[in-house]
Amino acid sequence: MKKFTKKMITFFAVMIVIAVFASAKQVKAAEKAYSLSLPNKSGATMCCMIIDKNCQNVLFPGSKLKNMDVISFTSSKPSVAKTFVSKDFTYKIKNNERKRGGFYLKKTGTAKLTMTYRLNNKVKKMVINLIVIKYTNPLKTFAIDGKNYANVFNKVTIYGASYKIIPKSGHTYKFAVKPKKDWKVSSVKAYGSKKQLKNAKKITLPKGATTIDIKVKYKNMRIDNLETFTGFTQ
């Protein structure tokens, strides 16, 4: 393996496209924001890990609720999760502006979030049961070519983490991903591929940035705010 340059092993973060912003102010606000999928039904449970207390977690609806316009968003425990209705992340659908709800994670615990919104000229409510846990590295093994890189997950940002490896592109390497106790790896996919790799013995890495999307569960709860992890090949 070739000697790495400082530039090549710089810590890279996975950037997330949050929405189409209409002003420089909105773009600036997006720099410390994380996009979460809003549940389609009231009463759903979301589990998040405290990664950055200053991060705005903005909820964006799927196709069934895409036209919703948030009126209010409240938290039963602001000390655990502080809610807000976002003005910075509004965008237009058919020339009509739609506001989105979001929250800041403050400390571990549980909170009931209540969102009031307008959809198809009707006012409706949605309740989200939020569970907030402390961030912890979910992986015991993240091995490529026989080397375990699991320690890169000890500390992450809202955009995920990066592993400092530069294997040759196009080559096939031994590969293994294993979770720690109480954790389960539900999905592992390399960028641009639909193939599941969570039980794969080998992996072929493409040229350039290599993003591996890892989804995990903690005690059977999906972690909603864990992002992808990226490295570079040569």
Side-chain angles (χ1 to χ4, degrees):
M1 191 175 289
K2 296 180 180 180
K3 187 176 181 180
F4 304 158
T5 65
K6 288 184 179 180
K7 184 177 181 180
M8 294 171 73
I9 62 174
T10 300
F11 206 77
F12 293 90
V14 178
M15 298 304 294
I16 303 171
V17 178
I18 298 177
V20 178
F21 301 101
S23 68
K25 180 181 178 181
Q26 290 172 324
V27 173
K28 186 176 181 180
E31 293 175 358
K32 289 292 288 182
Y34 185 84
S35 177
L36 297 178
S37 296
L38 180 74
N40 284 323
K41 295 181 179 180
S42 182
T45 297
M46 293 181 66
C47 183
C48 294
M49 293 191 286
I50 293 185
I51 295 172
D52 188 339
K53 291 182 180 179
N54 298 315
C55 170
Q56 301 179 76
N57 294 276
V58 184
L59 293 161
F60 283 89
S63 58
K64 291 182 179 180
L65 299 172
K66 69 178 182 179
N67 289 314
M68 70 185 297
D69 186 22
V70 177
I71 300 170
S72 66
F73 195 30
T74 61
S75 172
S76 64
K77 292 183 182 177
S79 60
V80 173
K82 183 179 178 181
T83 53
F84 61 89
V85 175
S86 175
K87 296 179 180 179
D88 291 326
F89 297 93
T90 58
Y91 60 93
K92 291 184 178 181
I93 297 178
K94 295 181 179 180
N95 295 320
N96 293 317
E97 194 173 64
R98 302 289 194 266
K99 297 182 180 65
R100 301 306 179 204
F103 54 84
Y104 296 92
L105 300 175
K106 309 301 289 185
K107 67 177 184 180
T108 59
T110 61
K112 181 179 289 187
L113 311 182
T114 303
M115 180 181 289
T116 303
Y117 62 95
R118 183 176 287 102
L119 180 65
N120 300 326
N121 295 320
K122 294 182 180 180
V123 175
K124 301 183 178 183
K125 284 191 177 183
M126 174 181 288
V127 173
I128 299 171
N129 298 307
L130 182 67
I131 299 173
V132 183
I133 63 175
K134 183 179 179 181
Y135 177 78
T136 183
N137 183 347
L139 299 180
K140 178 172 65 176
T141 303
F142 179 67
I144 298 178
D145 199 23
K147 184 175 180 179
N148 189 7
Y149 295 92
N151 62 350
V152 303
F153 301 94
N154 288 340
K155 185 177 180 180
V156 299
T157 69
I158 60 171
Y159 304 116
S162 295
Y163 46 89
K164 303 174 183 178
I165 59 173
I166 309 179
K168 292 182 178 180
S169 62
H171 284 227
T172 298
Y173 296 92
K174 292 180 180 179
F175 181 69
V177 176
K178 295 179 181 179
K180 290 181 178 178
K181 184 181 178 181
D182 294 329
W183 292 86
K184 180 181 179 181
V185 175
S186 54
S187 175
V188 180
K189 292 182 180 179
Y191 178 76
S193 174
K194 295 181 180 180
K195 183 180 179 181
Q196 275 291 347
L197 296 170
K198 63 179 181 178
N199 297 317
K201 303 292 184 182
K202 296 181 180 180
I203 186 173
T204 301
L205 300 175
K207 186 177 180 179
T210 303
T211 300
I212 296 180
D213 185 10
I214 300 177
K215 298 185 186 302
V216 297
K217 289 184 177 181
Y218 176 68
K219 294 183 177 179
N220 254 354
M221 295 184 298
R222 185 186 72 183
I223 305 299
D224 287 280
N225 66 331
L226 189 62
E227 239 319 297
T228 52
F229 306 86
T230 189
F232 274 73
T233 59
Q234 61 182 5

